[in-house]
């Protein structure tokens, strides 16, 4: 759980100053001034996070009286961290009046843990959150009961089952039973296997919460009493369960809604996200809909070209006086290894000659799949370029709450204790949120604070072995905290896997603490990420690598898949501030690239 609170009245100046910066933009100002339900349709680079956080600060200061607060639901932990950083700049310190976190975290901490028994959710008092391995075992047992055809259930059924669960919230309807009868049987059997083992998984969290809210008016009233305002970020990505939760809480109980999203950036259909839900919400008569048209991120030519990339006309534009920006096309022969060599031998050196102040950390290479990124990473390493990956083949998941907290602890050890960035109090607050189940008393939190201070103070050295540092933290701080938590088993496994990578003989045995947390030599690194993982980020120069037919879109796509691939292409395109480079096989460009080039030549 993530939470923050408004500290004192004098800090009103911070959000009032931020609000004045919104005033010249009519869309941002209308969102800030909204009083009822409001949906903000925010295009790329439109300042939506600044608008959202300034609005949240105003609501917290002017509209919601203590001890009541605001709940802010985000798509993932990365989004939650960015919001926390922005709110910190507005003077909002950690506390208890604001929840900031994912829909799964909200469901677990605000509904399931406090109300599971009284709401009759059918869970044992000591239920656990299933690890990935436990989920695999439950699926295998369910498959043997229901299908047993000799297929690999993880390869052929897992994604199909997960999408079906997220799309059908009610198990007692004809639609659930009949639309895909065999998948429905597998869903029921899988959930039964989890319950027999006293487990729930992450998809269970919003599903159980929506059912409980639907069945118990008193539960809706309890949530409203605590959080009279609900803020939702990236609404288009959050799927049916969140939409049903919003419908029940905001349009039945009366919680006020402030939602931000963009149908054009809906790229997670494989998880059950449905952009139509945001469209329907924005079209309600009792909702004020505001559009943010100005793109402050991209050069004016890139803003214009982005509409060609999307394949649909929009009225987005760059603000007056914006730089133009440039779009480059690079048809390259050879396989991905050869094309990756071209990036580091030719494309990047030419760009750095053209932009002499360009830093490697301002460069990103985006690709359709993580395995394509392996060719890019290998080529970079062979030529001495430092990189940092944010895809499925990264050295550890960038979305891990625990690993990002450890990065911050490492930063404190690497001169952060001198500069006060991060503040030690922030490390304690975030640690208490990560290990909320274990740190349940004031005494336990104080013991945690003392132990963490002692350990970090004794390990203040950029060049020390990361392996040694991680082992010390694991054994002296985290071991007992993991033992007291039922939700962090996968995080524990992630840490242990990374410790093995940094051990003698491991792939990252020479990594130092400074390299881990981004301090010291070699940390001005080129960003490598999939198109999906690039969402929400921005870079001066972007290379879209592997833009080939059959990669984007995939082979033989249906209409829905083509539209989503087009949106994914658009998301990658709009990460660029100054230069966007399309790199593709010379004889097999994506149809999106062909159309983009043709439109730019008109």
């Amino acid at each position: 759980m993530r939470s923050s609170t408004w500290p004192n009245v004098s800090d009103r100046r911070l959000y009032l100053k931020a609000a004045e910066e919104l005033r010249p933009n009519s869309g941002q100002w209308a969102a800030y001034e909204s009083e009822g339900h409001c949906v903000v349709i925010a295009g790329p680079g439109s300042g939506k996070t600044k608008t959202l956080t300034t609005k949240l600060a105003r609501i917290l200061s002017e509209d919601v009286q203590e001890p009541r607060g605001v709940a802010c639901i985000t798509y993932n932990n990365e989004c939650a961290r960015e919001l926390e950083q922005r709110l910190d700049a507005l003077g909002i310190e950690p506390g208890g009046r604001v929840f900031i976190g994912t829909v799964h975290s909200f469901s677990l901490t605000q509904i399931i843990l406090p109300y599971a028994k009284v709401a009759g959710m059918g869970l044992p008092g000591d239920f656990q959150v299933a690890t990935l391995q436990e989920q695999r075992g439950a699926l295998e047992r369910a498959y043997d009961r229901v299908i047993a055809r000799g297929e690999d259930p993880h390869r052929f059924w897992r994604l199909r089952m997960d999408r079906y669960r997220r799309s059908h919230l009610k198990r007692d309807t004809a639609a659930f039973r009949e639309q895909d009868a065999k998948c429905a049987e597998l869903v029921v059997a899988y959930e039964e296997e989890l319950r027999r083992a006293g487990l729930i998984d992450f998809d269970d969290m919003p599903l159980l919460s929506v059912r409980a809210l639907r069945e118990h008016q008193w539960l809706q009233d309890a949530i409203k009493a605590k959080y009279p305002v609900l803020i939702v970020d990236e609404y288009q990505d959050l799927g049916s369960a969140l939409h049903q939760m919003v419908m029940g809480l905001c349009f039945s109980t009366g919680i006020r809604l402030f939602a931000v999203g963009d149908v054009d950036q809906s790229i997670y259909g494989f998880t059950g996200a449905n952009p139509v839900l945001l469209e329907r919400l924005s079209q309600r008569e009792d909702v004020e809909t505001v559009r943010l048209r100005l793109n402050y991120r991209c050069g004016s030519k890139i803003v214009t070209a982005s509409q060609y990339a999307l394949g649909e006309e929009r009225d987005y534009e760059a603000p007056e006086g914006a730089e133009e920006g440039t779009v480059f096309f690079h048809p390259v022969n050879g396989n991905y290894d050869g094309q990756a060599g071209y990036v580091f031998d030719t494309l990047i050196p030419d760009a750095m000659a053209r932009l002499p102040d360009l830093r490697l950390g301002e460069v990103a290479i985006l690709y359709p799949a993580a395995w394509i990124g392996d060719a890019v990473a290998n080529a970079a390493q062979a030529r001495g370029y430092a990189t940092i990956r944010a895809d499925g083949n990264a050295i550890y998941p960038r979305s891990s709450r625990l690993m990002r907290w450890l990065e911050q602890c490492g930063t404190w050890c690497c001169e952060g204790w001198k500069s006060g960035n991060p503040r030690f109090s922030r490390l304690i607050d975030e640690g208490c949120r990560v290990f909320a189940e274990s740190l349940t008393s004031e005494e336990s939190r104080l013991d945690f604070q003392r132990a963490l201070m002692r350990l970090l103070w004794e390990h203040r050295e950029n060049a020390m072995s990361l392996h040694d540092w991680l082992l010390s933290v694991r054994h002296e701080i985290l071991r007992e905290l993991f033992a007291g938590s039922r939700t962090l088993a996968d995080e524990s496994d992630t840490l242990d896997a990374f410790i093995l990578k940094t051990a003698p003989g491991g792939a990252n045995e020479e990594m130092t603490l400074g390299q881990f947390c981004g301090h010291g030599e070699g940390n001005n690194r080129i960003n490598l990420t999939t198109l999906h993982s690039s969402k929400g980020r921005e870079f001066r120069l972007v290379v879209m690598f592997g833009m080939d037919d059959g990669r984007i879109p995939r082979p033989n796509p249906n209409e829905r898949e083509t539209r989503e691939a087009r949106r994914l292409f658009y998301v990658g395109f709009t990460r660029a501030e100054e230069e966007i480079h399309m790199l593709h096989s010379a004889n097999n460009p994506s149809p999106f690239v062909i159309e983009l080039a043709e439109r730019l030549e008109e």
Side-chain angles (χ1 to χ4, degrees):
M1 171 179 168
R2 299 172 174 274
S3 57
S4 310
T5 188
W6 189 254
N8 54 65
V9 175
S10 65
D11 284 331
R12 292 183 74 241
R13 301 173 189 172
L14 295 174
Y15 85 82
L16 291 175
K17 179 181 179 182
E20 286 304 309
E21 295 172 359
L22 301 180
R23 189 185 291 271
N25 184 310
S26 60
Q28 291 179 338
W29 187 252
Y32 178 75
E33 289 280 87
S34 64
E35 297 181 351
H37 300 311
C38 181
V39 170
V40 180
I41 306 299
S46 60
K48 64 101 174 172
T49 303
K50 181 176 182 178
T51 303
L52 185 154
T53 51
T54 307
K55 179 65 172 179
L56 188 154
R58 182 181 192 179
I59 290 171
L60 194 60
S61 179
E62 300 179 19
D63 300 344
V64 177
Q65 300 298 315
E66 293 188 63
R68 305 176 80 189
V70 175
C72 181
I73 294 177
T74 67
Y75 177 69
N76 57 29
N77 289 320
E78 291 284 319
C79 296
R81 271 187 290 272
E82 181 181 4
L83 290 177
E84 286 181 344
Q85 292 168 0
R86 297 289 189 97
L87 290 169
D88 183 56
L90 294 176
I92 298 178
E93 299 286 346
R97 288 185 64 205
V98 175
F99 172 91
I100 302 176
T102 65
V103 65
H104 301 90
S105 178
F106 181 82
S107 298
L108 180 65
T109 63
Q110 305 301 307
I111 299 175
I112 297 175
L113 287 175
Y115 301 114
K117 185 175 181 179
V118 68
M121 295 185 192
L123 301 177
D126 59 349
F127 76 87
Q128 302 284 316
V129 177
T131 65
L132 292 176
Q133 190 60 39
E134 289 169 333
Q135 292 175 45
R136 290 176 65 87
L139 177 55
E140 289 165 5
R141 294 190 298 274
Y143 176 83
D144 288 343
R145 286 171 49 194
V146 173
I147 300 173
R149 286 205 302 252
E151 298 171 326
D152 179 352
H154 308 292
R155 179 180 178 185
F156 293 101
W157 285 92
R158 183 68 206 230
L159 187 61
R160 177 178 168 185
M161 181 189 75
D162 287 346
R163 187 182 294 119
Y164 204 71
R165 291 178 74 199
R166 295 164 187 156
S167 302
H168 296 80
L169 306 186
K170 297 180 181 181
R171 299 291 182 264
D172 57 354
T173 65
F176 171 73
R177 294 190 302 270
E178 297 170 4
Q179 183 172 320
D180 186 338
K182 190 57 66 174
C183 193
E185 288 185 66
L186 185 62
V187 166
V188 172
Y190 170 73
E191 292 178 348
E192 288 174 351
E193 291 294 335
L194 287 179
R195 300 301 178 270
R196 286 194 184 102
L199 300 171
I200 65 172
D201 67 4
F202 277 90
D203 280 340
D204 274 319
M205 295 175 188
L207 296 177
L208 289 169
S209 297
V210 168
R211 290 174 200 160
L213 287 167
R214 184 182 291 122
E215 294 170 3
H216 302 291
Q217 180 63 46
W218 60 263
L219 181 54
Q220 297 181 34
D221 294 338
I223 300 300
K224 180 183 178 181
K226 188 173 184 180
Y227 300 120
V229 179
L230 176 65
I231 294 177
V232 182
D233 190 20
E234 303 289 2
Y235 197 100
Q236 76 281 351
D237 291 331
L238 290 166
S240 296
L242 183 278
H243 185 68
Q244 292 300 318
M245 194 180 294
V246 167
M247 291 298 102
L249 290 174
C250 299
F251 298 102
S252 296
T253 301
I255 290 177
R256 176 178 164 193
L257 174 67
F258 186 86
V260 179
D262 181 11
V263 171
D264 292 336
Q265 296 186 73
S266 179
I267 58 174
Y268 295 105
F270 59 91
T271 69
N274 183 355
V276 172
L277 300 178
L278 177 59
E279 289 182 342
R280 291 175 183 167
L281 182 65
S282 66
Q283 293 166 1
R284 289 180 61 105
E285 293 185 357
D286 52 354
V287 169
E288 178 184 0
T289 298
V290 175
R291 295 190 70 245
L292 304 186
R293 294 181 48 255
L294 292 180
N295 182 330
Y296 295 98
R297 175 190 302 148
C298 305
S300 58
K301 186 174 182 180
I302 296 175
V303 173
T304 299
S306 71
Q307 298 174 83
Y308 307 153
L310 180 63
E312 297 185 40
E313 294 297 326
R314 297 288 184 266
D315 60 349
Y316 295 132
E317 60 184 17
E320 186 176 348
E323 298 292 332
E324 186 177 70
T326 312
V327 182
F328 296 85
F329 295 87
H330 302 269
V332 182
N333 291 311
N335 60 20
Y336 287 143
D337 293 332
Q339 293 178 29
Y342 169 82
V343 171
F344 297 104
D345 293 337
T346 302
L347 192 158
I348 289 179
D350 288 352
M352 298 192 77
R354 203 165 44 246
L355 304 171
D357 62 335
L358 179 69
R359 301 175 68 249
L360 295 181
E362 298 171 316
V363 175
I365 303 175
L366 318 181
Y367 31 82
W371 67 267
I372 298 176
D374 292 342
V376 180
N378 292 337
Q381 183 177 18
R383 291 159 175 79
Y385 283 92
T387 61
I388 182 168
R389 296 186 71 167
D391 60 32
N393 290 344
I395 56 176
Y396 55 84
R398 301 294 297 172
S399 60
S400 165
R401 292 183 301 157
L402 172 68
M403 297 304 297
R404 295 304 293 267
W405 178 71
L406 288 173
E407 285 182 5
Q408 290 298 302
C409 290
T411 299
W412 191 90
C413 291
C414 298
E415 311 298 330
W417 62 277
K418 292 181 181 178
S419 64
N421 185 25
R423 298 190 304 273
F424 183 73
S425 62
R426 295 285 293 178
L427 301 182
I428 295 299
D429 293 331
E430 177 64 11
C432 287
R433 289 194 286 276
V434 173
F435 297 103
E437 286 186 87
S438 299
L439 302 174
T440 57
S441 67
E442 187 62 36
E443 182 180 3
S444 64
R445 289 189 288 270
L446 185 58
D447 288 343
F448 168 67
Q449 177 176 333
R450 289 168 176 162
L452 186 64
M453 171 58 82
R454 181 171 59 250
L455 184 138
L456 297 186
W457 188 258
E458 292 172 354
H459 293 78
R460 292 169 295 136
E461 183 182 350
N462 294 27
M464 78 174 298
S465 161
L466 176 60
H467 181 69
D468 293 343
W469 186 84
L470 289 172
L471 282 179
S472 296
V473 177
R474 179 72 166 85
H475 294 312
E476 297 181 33
I477 303 291
L478 303 184
R479 181 170 51 188
E480 292 186 4
L481 296 176
F482 281 138
S485 173
R486 49 184 163 178
T487 63
L488 295 177
D490 280 332
E491 293 275 24
S492 177
D493 290 345
T494 294
L495 174 59
D496 289 342
F498 185 53
I499 288 174
L500 286 176
K501 292 180 181 179
T502 62
N508 305 101
E509 63 176 326
E510 297 182 358
M511 183 174 279
T512 66
L513 178 60
Q515 290 172 332
F516 170 64
C517 61
H519 288 257
E521 291 187 22
N523 287 292
N524 183 24
R525 298 172 283 183
I526 295 174
N527 298 274
L528 308 183
T529 180
T530 59
L531 291 166
H532 281 97
S533 295
S534 72
K535 190 166 179 292
R537 307 180 69 186
E538 56 188 52
F539 310 92
R540 284 185 67 187
L541 184 149
V542 168
V543 180
M544 294 180 67
F545 184 91
M547 295 296 104
D548 297 338
D549 193 12
R551 299 294 176 217
I552 184 164
R554 293 181 177 180
N556 304 313
N558 59 34
E559 183 180 352
R560 179 188 60 79
E561 292 168 337
T562 300
R563 287 200 303 269
E564 181 156 317
R566 193 83 190 221
R567 294 195 296 265
L568 183 62
F569 184 71
Y570 170 73
V571 164
F573 195 92
T574 53
R575 301 310 95 195
E577 298 173 356
E578 295 182 38
E579 291 191 2
I580 177 78
H581 295 257
M582 294 284 135
L583 195 145
H584 57 86
S585 299
N587 61 349
N588 188 40
S590 165
F592 303 157
V593 172
I594 294 173
E595 181 180 342
L596 175 65
E598 290 175 347
R599 294 290 303 276
L600 286 173
E601 290 177 357
E602 291 177 356

